[in-house]
Amino acid sequence: MGEGGLVELWGEELGELKRTSEKLGVRLTPAVEAIDNCVSHLDAVIKSAKEMNKPDDSESLDALFEPLVDDIEVVAEMKEGVSERDLLENHLVLLGDAIMGFGWVAEKNPIEYVQIVLQTTLSSSKPLRAKSEIGDPVHAEFADAVISLVEKLLALVTSEHPNGLKFKD
């Protein structure tokens, strides 16, 4: 990972997600901000882990992961609370599925975990692609931006954390 961190490395994808979500409506803003925050918090978790020994207790790990978990919960709650008649239902479901990928930090097999999240996200994107075929292409552009972030997450985990989050020891 470069010196600029994940926000810089994934800036193009985050920018595209913000651009397309702005076209779709303000209701997506909290979820998109939470994803943006997740990237920053993941960067902080990775940097902190590199400088510390792996904690023996779950409380220390929970404290390390807390900001990340809070962001995941924001989007998960939005996904769970959306109505089937909501015009942004599929968008929120897609974001809710994608943000779960950031939970790899607590997984024993992070590559498999993020691969499953990617498959779920790809499946969740199908209704948005169908919407774009009969209307505005912004729905597919939004889906592409979300999928691209999950693919970046998978690439990061595969190249730098294949056996889990790296600690100093």
Side-chain angles (χ1 to χ4, degrees), residues 81-149:
V82 70
S83 159
E84 288 182 17
R85 293 188 305 247
D86 191 317
L87 294 175
L88 297 176
E89 173 198 14
N90 296 320
H91 304 79
L92 290 168
V93 167
L94 179 65
L95 289 171
D97 290 344
I99 202 163
M100 298 310 293
F102 289 88
W104 71 264
V105 295
E107 295 295 320
K108 290 185 185 340
N109 190 341
I111 295 173
E112 181 180 334
Y113 179 81
V114 180
Q115 286 172 333
I116 291 168
V117 169
L118 179 58
Q119 291 308 309
T120 303
T121 304
L122 288 167
S123 179
S124 297
S125 73
K126 289 178 183 176
L128 296 177
R129 295 192 187 291
K131 233 181 199 183
S132 282
E133 288 176 13
I134 59 172
D136 192 339
V138 72
H139 302 288
E141 293 167 3
F142 177 83
D144 290 343
V146 173
I147 290 165
S148 182
L149 280 171

Side-chain angles (χ1 to χ4, degrees), residues 46-109:
I46 290 170
K47 288 176 181 175
S48 294
K50 285 180 182 177
E51 297 174 3
M52 63 190 280
N53 292 329
K54 185 174 183 175
D56 294 330
D57 61 301
S58 63
E59 287 180 15
S60 296
L61 280 176
D62 290 348
L64 179 64
F65 299 153
E66 184 175 7
L68 201 54
V69 171
D70 290 347
D71 293 325
I72 292 169
E73 287 176 354
V74 165
V75 181
E77 287 173 11
M78 288 183 75
K79 174 187 171 185
E80 295 305 316
V82 70
S83 159
E84 288 182 17
R85 293 188 305 247
D86 191 317
L87 294 175
L88 297 176
E89 173 198 14
N90 296 320
H91 304 79
L92 290 168
V93 167
L94 179 65
L95 289 171
D97 290 344
I99 202 163
M100 298 310 293
F102 289 88
W104 71 264
V105 295
E107 295 295 320
K108 290 185 185 340
N109 190 341

